[in-house]
Amino acid sequence: MTVPPTLAEDFQRDGYAVVRGVLAPEDFTAVREEYARLIERRVGEWHRDGLLAEGEDLTGKPFDEQLIALAAHPDFDPSLLSELDITLPHMPFTSLQPGSKVHTGPAVLGLLRNPKVLDVIRRIVGDEISASPNQHVRLKLPAPGTVGNFGARRGETMHAPTMWHQDAMTQIPQSDDTTLVTCWIPLMDVTEEHGCLLVVPGRHHEERLLPWPMDADTVAGLEAEAVPLPVRQGDIVLLHKRTPHGSTVNRSPRLRWSFDFRYFSSHEPSDRPWFPAVVAASASSPELAATDADDWRHRWEEARELFVSTGQMVPGRREFSQLVADSLIKRWESGDFPRLEPEAARA
């Protein structure tokens, strides 16, 4: 790995940076094995709960092969894949349930705290590094036949393009001044065929965030300036929280598998204080760094219990929440809501 000496300056100028060769293949071995065990466990739970009738024959396959084969079954609900994520359900207005699932295994924590990754991150945020709870595993399945245009996603699926957005839209205003960097880590080579990231350089300098939802002219303008970022396994992509980015569909036959972690200065406010941030590294107090995955899991369980016991819904930024509310209202206006059986029909 060679980190450019001008990394911080380049990042501040362009709003993104690609750092080549940060990680080696062996850095991904543990997390691959952990996810293979996780999908087998989840399949067992989905069978037990009557949510899945297939998939028992996939045991022993690598995670990505298991997932593609599982998703090919007609009765498979892609929304179940949220239970593989490394954060609890996070959309505004979500009511967390006692059984809401999050994955916080030691291999994921190890990747989150990989010293080679943190050596890059400290060039931008300093020596006191915390990891935001706004973190995800990204599982983009191969696109099934005809797909919509980029930027025109409807709902949350694992096949769709990722619509243009800025990560700052999902953080609360109290953290607007926090130095927060998104670190996107692919577990494979990602080309334009796989739906690599697209970014618009320099737009992070604009005073206002882009409107949500975006009109066609805004989307067309972003697409005209977009730069694709194909990467190799071991490279990492850094994104400024105000940099517009997205990705197209995965037109390859392979799973596009990546993680995105968000790091910020431990001296600054978290972007989601209702979920647990963890200290990734500390020069002044090294003992504060999170090393115990069980403790990490307990903190997520405490956050879930807090929402369940209080009955509160997951909060969000006004603009982001309004977008979610509008999508719900459109569903209701179209007649998508539960209906009681008429009394006469029950007689």
Side-chain angles (χ1 to χ4, degrees):
M1 173 183 65
T2 302
V3 181
T6 59
L7 174 66
E9 292 83 356
D10 296 344
F11 179 80
Q12 294 302 329
R13 181 192 67 233
D14 298 330
Y16 77 97
V18 181
V19 187
R20 305 290 182 182
V22 175
L23 297 168
E26 54 266 27
D27 290 310
F28 300 108
T29 301
V31 78
R32 286 183 178 277
E33 294 175 350
E34 185 171 278
Y35 262 80
R37 295 190 298 270
L38 174 63
I39 190 66
E40 290 175 3
R41 186 166 70 250
R42 291 286 190 257
V43 165
E45 293 166 350
W46 298 334
H47 275 285
R48 180 198 64 202
D49 297 337
L51 302 174
L52 185 66
E54 302 286 351
E56 306 98 321
D57 57 335
L58 302 176
T59 300
K61 292 181 180 291
F63 170 76
D64 45 357
E65 293 182 22
Q66 288 190 63
L67 190 61
I68 288 177
L70 190 65
H73 288 295
D75 70 334
F76 182 72
D77 179 0
S79 69
L80 292 173
L81 299 186
S82 65
E83 297 185 4
L84 307 179
D85 208 356
I86 51 178
T87 184
L88 284 168
H90 55 281
M91 297 294 280
F93 306 117
T94 298
S95 294
L96 296 183
Q97 304 302 311
S100 296
K101 292 182 173 63
V102 58
H103 177 62
T104 52
V108 171
L109 183 59
L111 185 61
L112 178 75
R113 296 195 58 245
N114 186 287
K116 292 178 284 189
V117 172
L118 297 182
D119 183 54
V120 175
I121 297 300
R122 66 169 42 92
R123 315 291 177 99
I124 297 174
V125 307
D127 291 331
E128 306 299 319
I129 307 171
S130 285
S132 163
N134 185 1
Q135 57 199 4
H136 299 281
V137 60
R138 302 296 187 185
L139 305 169
K140 181 163 284 194
L141 293 166
T146 304
V147 294
N149 294 325
F150 176 52
R153 180 168 67 174
R154 293 291 184 271
E156 293 290 330
T157 78
M158 296 297 173
H159 308 102
T162 301
M163 62 184 178
W164 286 106
H165 67 285
Q166 297 161 294
D167 289 342
M169 184 61 71
T170 65
Q171 65 180 97
I172 56 174
Q174 290 90 330
S175 63
D176 276 350
D177 294 330
T178 294
T179 304
L180 187 143
V181 178
T182 296
C183 179
W184 192 80
I185 304 177
L187 276 72
M188 54 178 285
D189 295 352
V190 179
T191 66
E192 292 187 58
E193 181 188 20
H194 299 107
C196 67
L197 292 182
L198 299 172
V199 301
V200 181
R203 292 292 291 268
H204 63 298
H205 294 299
E206 295 186 2
E207 183 176 351
R208 293 191 177 189
L209 293 174
L210 292 169
W212 270 36
M214 295 181 193
D215 57 78
D217 289 341
T218 299
V219 170
L222 293 172
E223 290 181 342
E225 300 177 37
V227 174
L229 301 181
V231 292
R232 302 293 299 271
Q233 182 192 55
D235 299 343
I236 65 174
V237 179
L238 307 180
L239 296 172
H240 191 283
K241 64 185 180 183
R242 298 176 69 92
T243 294
H245 61 284
S247 67
T248 56
V249 296
N250 178 7
R251 299 186 184 278
S252 82
R254 300 174 57 200
L255 176 73
R256 197 206 74 178
W257 183 8
S258 62
F259 287 89
D260 58 65
F261 303 126
R262 291 175 177 83
Y263 299 97
F264 64 99
S265 170
S266 299
H267 301 305
E268 298 176 341
S270 171
D271 56 329
R272 287 185 179 172
W274 49 87
F275 284 162
V278 297
V279 175
S282 173
S284 62
S285 303
E287 71 279 3
L288 295 180
T291 58
D292 187 336
D294 287 336
D295 181 64
W296 192 31
R297 174 174 54 83
H298 290 319
R299 293 187 62 195
W300 276 102
E301 290 171 347
E302 288 173 1
R304 181 183 61 200
E305 176 57 28
L306 181 62
F307 277 93
V308 171
S309 63
T310 61
Q312 291 205 42
M313 295 181 289
V314 174
R317 191 184 189 94
R318 174 183 291 273
E319 298 94 330
F320 189 36
S321 300
Q322 185 63 53
L323 180 69
V324 176
D326 285 345
S327 67
L328 291 172
I329 291 169
K330 287 178 182 177
R331 283 176 52 188
W332 301 334
E333 289 176 339
S334 71
D336 183 3
F337 49 78
R339 290 175 171 82
L340 281 175
E341 186 180 9
E343 190 66 28
R346 298 170 60 187

